[in-house]
Every structure is written in structure tokens, then in C-alpha cells.
Amino acid sequence: MDEWALERYFDDSIANDSSFILEEELDSHSPAPSGTGPAPSHLPVKAGPSGQVGEELDLSFLPDEVTDDATGHMTTCVLWVSAAVDVSQDSGLGLDSSTQDSAAAADPQQGASGTGTGTSTFCPMTPMTPMTPMTPVTERSGIIPQLQNIVSTVNLGCPLDLKFIALQARNAEYNPKRFAAVIMRIRDPRTTALIFSSGKMVCTGAKSEEQSRLAARKYARVVQKLGFPARFLDFKIQNMVASCDVCFPIRLEGLVLTHQQFSSYEPELFPGLIYRMVKPRIVLLIFVSGKVVLTGAKEREEIYEAFENIYPILRGFRKQ
Amino acid sequence: MYEPDNRVNSEIEKLTQIYYREAYQHESFIRVSLRKKEHLVGCCLLLSCRLLNWPISMATISSLLDADPMVMGMLYIEMVKILNIEAPIVNITDVMEAHSHDYQISSLHAPEELSESHKDLTKRAVELVELSADTWIVTGRRPIPIMMAAIYLSWQSLKPNKHRLKLSLEKFCQLAKVNKHKPAIKRITEMKEMLCKLGQEIPWVREAVTPDNVVKHVEDILKHRHALLRRALRAQEDALLAERQASCEDLPIKEDADNHQLHGETLKSQDPEPNWGKRVLFAPPCVVQAKKSRVEQPELTDVTGDEEISDSEIDAYIRTPQEVREFALSQKMLE
């Protein structure tokens, strides 16, 4: 089992920060991960239950050394699908143009972190980089993507005895043969945490940045109560996943033809079209039903901007 | 088994070798397992076929390599990204010709009553697939079960006698010596439903067109599909218009713009917004048969992230000394 897929999150974000010593998770038994491991900077992680009671933590996105299973990427996509398609349809769809402006200006229900759509700064185009065309500010869609999952990391700043934690905590799971971290859950905010012996922690399942931070603090408190000198260092949102529904069907075969440099559509492998937007750097999963999943964001404005960019493109493929 | 090896021309072979050399030496692939390198060959072949417009499916290539199509497919996507190549996707109707070769039901292989010429069969199946694509049955779905469903229905409709209509998909696949794909059954149902919607627009058909009797009308439906589509769409629009007028007459007061949004919201909370898929003639099946969406728990709003965390809440997650002893004991006993 490749333990480092998650550890690499830390490497990415703390690489230049000399105040952290990357612990010796890097043992000697396996060399650098093979090229089929998911590249963490591109690959969002869905490792948390999305609201169901008793749902098992699905770590199948982590490549499995034993079977040399290279389906990490697609499995993750499948996980997103199962999360997305069960999501409530209510995405604030503005039904007529007269309400469009008010819908766009209204704060999203998640919290007061800015208005629905962020303003994009104009960036001079280099001829080499294909850029998805930007939407003029006046043509907002009126649809607000809903956040479904936030993944964050934090450093508790001290080594942890995982066996001890698993023994003392009611909400902990630890199977060192399967995975080298304690899996801990709390009810409110309903989230899951992966706690490593290095003291680093990943928190998943929250529906907003603030909830993710609150949850992470609670996990840190549990670890503190168990007697460790846990701190709360470098909390960072690593990935945000959102979804919405444009409520019309989309000709994916057409979209992949006209936006070939950004799109990948392989119905033999996966029902959705994978659109890799360059600016902002967001991956969108677009389905024939009109449902869209957006992921890869570090800030929610990126999600809103990405959706406003894709919406007119999707409108172009609307039939009937 | 259809073997493209004897058909793939030298140009494709050459291109495959070029890409393989490039991929093999790339840092991402140089150290991978031998098995994976074999998969890589398949990926390069697939890429070359696509670039040179040779229609072939991933399933075909992976079966030649005795590989899992998913594994090979994933590797293909990765390779294409690493080598930074854009390859066109394969059109299902192009693959149909090759795919139908697999079915051994020409007069050489099957009894006369059940045999069908490859040419006729393919022609009809292609038309059926095109019509299915227009009516949202194809997008997002795996191509092979669709092709199987199209071939089966085409075969039945070319001679819709008792023998053919009674033969199940299972038996048909046995006859044609192909492996049955389970999803094909669902595709058959969806295609029949779609054909019924068009079949009932045929002016000279008096009886109701149902999935049980639609096969004998397939020839006519395909022949006049454009006209029938237009008629069906118009009929649907008229029906919707009539429905809207009827409901408008029921509403006593006309809401002004301010109240409208509020009213809309309260309506929404009372009953779920009607599925847009049910209001159009053809929609992707996943929309029409939308699973009941999970009712979201009322989420924490106005969370700042800086809230005070009570000791009692945290204590609830920690075992009592007694529990710890019992747990440790049970772990020992389980070993």
C-alpha cells in the first residue's frame, strides 16, 4: 500500500518551509512510486463519507502495491460520481433572467466567504498555453456549485503513538497492516481524519472551509487529551470538491471534439467527460445528465470561476 | 475471434513502434513492470489506430493482450497525458462494422431461418445506433453492450418471425458465438422504449405500439425516422403546452416578481422540483430514472471555525480506563 500518496500532500505544501522535518515515513522497502501513482497536485482526494451513517472509509484511491492496481485515478472519479449523483438537486438554479442578477449576487449558503462568483484577474495570454475562454461578467449562470467535500491538512507538531491512540480513543480505527495511520471520526462536523505517527493529519468530509478547520481542531483536542503535546500548525485547505446541475443534457461526444486539448472522454472506461481547465486549474467531471463535479480547488472562488467558465461552453451543447 | 492483427496496416505498425519507443524511454515508464510494458504496447497501438482513423475499441486490444481493459485504459490516459498527444475518440458507428464481424450468423454458420447477411445486419444496426445516439441512449455508456443490443434487435427485425422474436439475447449470443454482455439487456429495453415512442407516430399503425410488438415496426421506424422524430417532438410540445395552459387557468392570482421567488422557494420545500427529464420526449436514462437524492442533513451554518470546543464533547470520544482494559483484553483474545 502506498502510504505516501497522502504524505505527498504535505511535501507539496510544506516543501519550502524549513521549520518542518519530513519524518521517516520513507522506509526502505519500496522505491519511488511508479508512474501510475496519482500525481497529488492534480489529483483530488475523496477519502471521507459524505453524510451516511456507518459508511466505511474508502481508501481505494491509494494505489495498492500488491495488485499493482492502476485504477486509482478512475476509482477516485467513481467515488466522486457516487457522491455527486446522490446530491440534492437544489443548487440555487435561477429560473428566469430577471432573477439571475439577484441569484448571482446572493451569498452562497455555506458561509460568508465572499460572494458567489469571484472576479478573475486578466492574465496576458502566452501563445503556447491554451486557455479556456473567460466569461464576460454580465453573463452569469445563476447556478451556484455546492461544496461537497473539503480536504485539509494540519501538523500536530509532535510524534504520535498510534497504537496508544487506537487503544484510548473510542472513535479510532487502526490496522497497521492495511494502512499506517489511525482513522478517527467525529460526529460534528461529520468528518474523518487520518492521523499519522509523524503528527501530521488529514481531515476530510467537511462541507466548508470553516467546518474543516473546526473539525481539525477537535481532532487535535482529542489527541491533546490523550496526553500528547499537540499543536495546530499550518492548517491548510488542500482540495475542495463541489457539484451542481445545469439541468439539460450534454453531448459529450461533441464537447470532446471542440475542446480536445482540455477534454478526455472514454466511455469504455468512465461515463463522464474529464475537463482539465487551465485557468483556474480545476478538473471538472461533466456528465450527460448535466451534472458537473468540480475539484482541485484550494479556494472556493476557483470553483465558482471554473463553473462560470464552463457554463457557456455547456450551453453551446444544449440540445432541443 | 476477430483479429485485427492481420488487418492493421504497416503505417499503424510503424507509428505504434515510434510511440512505444518514446513511451518506453520516458522517465514515467522506464522502470515499470514487464506486464505494464506489455500494456503499454496496447496503448500505443490504440493511439496509433486513433490517429490514423482506424476504428478499434479498447476492449478488443485488451482482450488480445489478455489484459484488464480498465487497467490498460487507465494507462492509455496517463500515457497520452505524459506524451502530450491529442487523439480523436472513436465513433461507435465506425467500430460497429468490425464488431459485427464477431457474430457468426451468416448462412455459413447458422440455420437458414436464423441466418442473416453480415452486410444487412450491419447496415441496420448502424442506423439503430445512430438513432439511439440521437435519443440519448449512447452518450456516457459503454459501446459494446449498445452494439450488441443493436445487432440483436436488428437481427430480430430483419425477419420478425416467431422463431427470432422468441429467441432470448442469451440464446442469440450462444448462436452467434459471442460472449453476452449483461448491460445489453438494459440497452435493449431502452431502445425498445425509444422505438415505441416513434412507432406510435406511424400514421398507418392502428394498434398500440408496445415493447412486445415494436420489433416488427423497426424497419418502418428506421426508414422514416426523421419524420417520426419530428412528429413525436411536436406531439410532446403540444402536450406540454396544453398542460401548462390547464395549470395556468387553475392559478387564481398572478404573482409579481418579488413574491414569485418566495413562493417558488416555499413550493420547493413542500414538494421536490419535477425532474426535467420527465418533461421532455427523450432524455438520458440516468436523468429520467433519477435515484432518489439523499436528503441532506441540515448542515451547520454560520460556523466560523473558531468556536469554543467543550471538554465534555472531546471526553465523549475517549475511553474510560475500564473500557481500555476490556478493549485490550478482547484484542488479546482475538489474536
Side-chain angles (χ1 to χ4, degrees), chain B residues 58-87:
Chain B
M58 281 183 191
T60 305
I61 296 182
S62 44
S63 68
L64 288 172
L65 290 171
D66 197 21
D68 181 349
M70 276 289 171
V71 173
M72 208 200 76
M74 287 312 312
L75 189 60
Y76 170 79
I77 290 186
E78 196 194 340
M79 183 190 84
V80 161
K81 191 162 145 219
I82 287 172
L83 298 180
N84 200 18
I85 300 170
E86 283 165 27

Side-chain angles (χ1 to χ4, degrees), chain A residues 51 107 111 131 165 189 202 207 268 284 288 303:
Chain A
D107 274 343
M131 302 273 237
I165 293 175
V202 180
K207 301 279 190 195
E268 286 191 81
L284 300 92
V288 65
I303 300 245

Side-chain angles (χ1 to χ4, degrees), chain B residues 27-222:
Chain B
E27 55 175 345
S28 308
F29 297 121
I30 189 73
R31 275 183 236 101
V32 302
S33 68
L34 189 64
R35 183 77 179 122
K36 193 164 266 173
K37 286 182 178 143
E38 288 172 12
H39 286 70
L40 210 53
V41 174
C43 297
C44 294
L45 177 61
L46 178 63
L47 178 62
S48 308
C49 286
R50 286 186 175 189
L51 287 170
L52 296 173
N53 285 314
W54 186 278
I56 192 167
S57 66
M58 281 183 191
T60 305
I61 296 182
S62 44
S63 68
L64 288 172
L65 290 171
D66 197 21
D68 181 349
M70 276 289 171
V71 173
M72 208 200 76
M74 287 312 312
L75 189 60
Y76 170 79
I77 290 186
E78 196 194 340
M79 183 190 84
V80 161
K81 191 162 145 219
I82 287 172
L83 298 180
N84 200 18
I85 300 170
E86 283 165 27
I89 56 162
V90 178
N91 208 330
I92 185 176
T93 48
D94 295 332
V95 187
M96 178 65 92
E97 166 93 41
H99 180 78
S100 64
H101 264 296
D102 279 357
Y103 293 72
Q104 297 178 29
I105 33 171
S106 67
S107 47
L108 297 168
H109 299 109
E112 204 203 303
E113 268 302 299
L114 303 174
S115 75
E116 206 52 70
S117 94
H118 173 250
K119 189 161 155 271
D120 290 339
L121 190 62
T122 306
K123 179 168 180 288
R124 179 155 297 187
V126 167
E127 286 179 350
L128 195 47
V129 167
E130 281 172 354
L131 187 54
S132 302
D134 284 343
T135 53
W136 298 107
I137 294 174
V138 173
T139 306
R141 264 80 180 278
R142 294 211 180 131
I144 292 180
I146 295 174
M147 296 194 284
M148 177 169 282
I151 288 173
Y152 172 68
L153 286 175
S154 302
W155 172 81
Q156 282 190 324
S157 70
L158 281 165
K159 212 179 271 167
N161 56 37
K162 225 180 6 182
H163 300 283
R164 293 202 183 187
L165 293 178
K166 269 217 301 219
L167 206 71
S168 68
L169 178 68
E170 176 110 35
K171 293 250 159 64
F172 173 74
C173 291
Q174 279 173 13
L175 172 70
K177 300 197 186 54
V178 293
N179 289 325
K180 186 181 101 165
H181 288 268
K182 250 181 80 188
I185 300 175
K186 276 191 247 160
R187 297 299 93 85
I188 291 169
T189 308
E190 288 167 1
M191 285 182 188
K192 280 188 173 175
E193 245 177 67
M194 175 267 291
L195 290 164
C196 285
K197 286 183 186 172
L198 297 177
Q200 58 202 23
E201 298 298 324
I202 302 177
W204 57 84
V205 168
R206 298 292 163 190
E207 60 177 356
V209 180
T210 69
D212 292 326
N213 62 29
V214 70
V215 175
K216 59 181 193 276
H217 297 297
V218 168
E219 178 160 336
D220 284 334
I221 295 171
L222 289 175

Side-chain angles (χ1 to χ4, degrees), chain A residues 35-36 74 167 213 217-218, chain B residues 36 74 78 305-306 313:
Chain A
T36 54
M74 277 311 177
L167 182 62
R213 197 158 146 272
R217 284 175 56 224
K218 291 189 180 181
Chain B
K36 193 164 266 173
M74 287 312 312
E78 196 194 340
D306 293 314
E313 186 186 346

Side-chain angles (χ1 to χ4, degrees), chain A residues 35-36 50 74 86 166-168 170 187 210 213 217-218 221 225 251 253 261 265-266 268 271 320, chain B residues 36 50 58-59 74 78 86 133-134 139-140 294 303 305-307 311 313 315-317 319 323:
Chain A
T36 54
S50 38
M74 277 311 177
D86 288 331
L167 182 62
Q168 300 287 332
R170 286 178 180 152
R187 283 177 286 272
E210 299 81 14
R213 197 158 146 272
R217 284 175 56 224
K218 291 189 180 181
R221 280 288 291 276
K225 277 254 170 174
R251 288 258 171 242
E253 308 92 338
Q261 59 291 49
Y265 169 56
E266 299 289 345
E268 286 191 81
Q320 284 181 315
Chain B
K36 193 164 266 173
R50 286 186 175 189
M58 281 183 191
M74 287 312 312
E78 196 194 340
E86 283 165 27
D134 284 343
T139 306
R294 225 184 280 156
V303 171
D306 293 314
E307 280 85 351
D311 270 347
E313 186 186 346
D315 285 337
Y317 290 116
R319 291 194 169 118
E323 278 175 31

Side-chain angles (χ1 to χ4, degrees), chain B residues 245-268:
Chain B
Q245 278 176 348
S247 62
C248 268
E249 281 161 12
D250 289 342
L251 264 157
I253 310 158
K254 226 178 181 203
E255 265 98 304
D256 61 280
D258 288 323
N259 285 343
H260 190 276
Q261 191 165 11
L262 187 67
H263 181 63
E265 279 168 17
T266 51
L267 260 178
K268 221 183 269 188

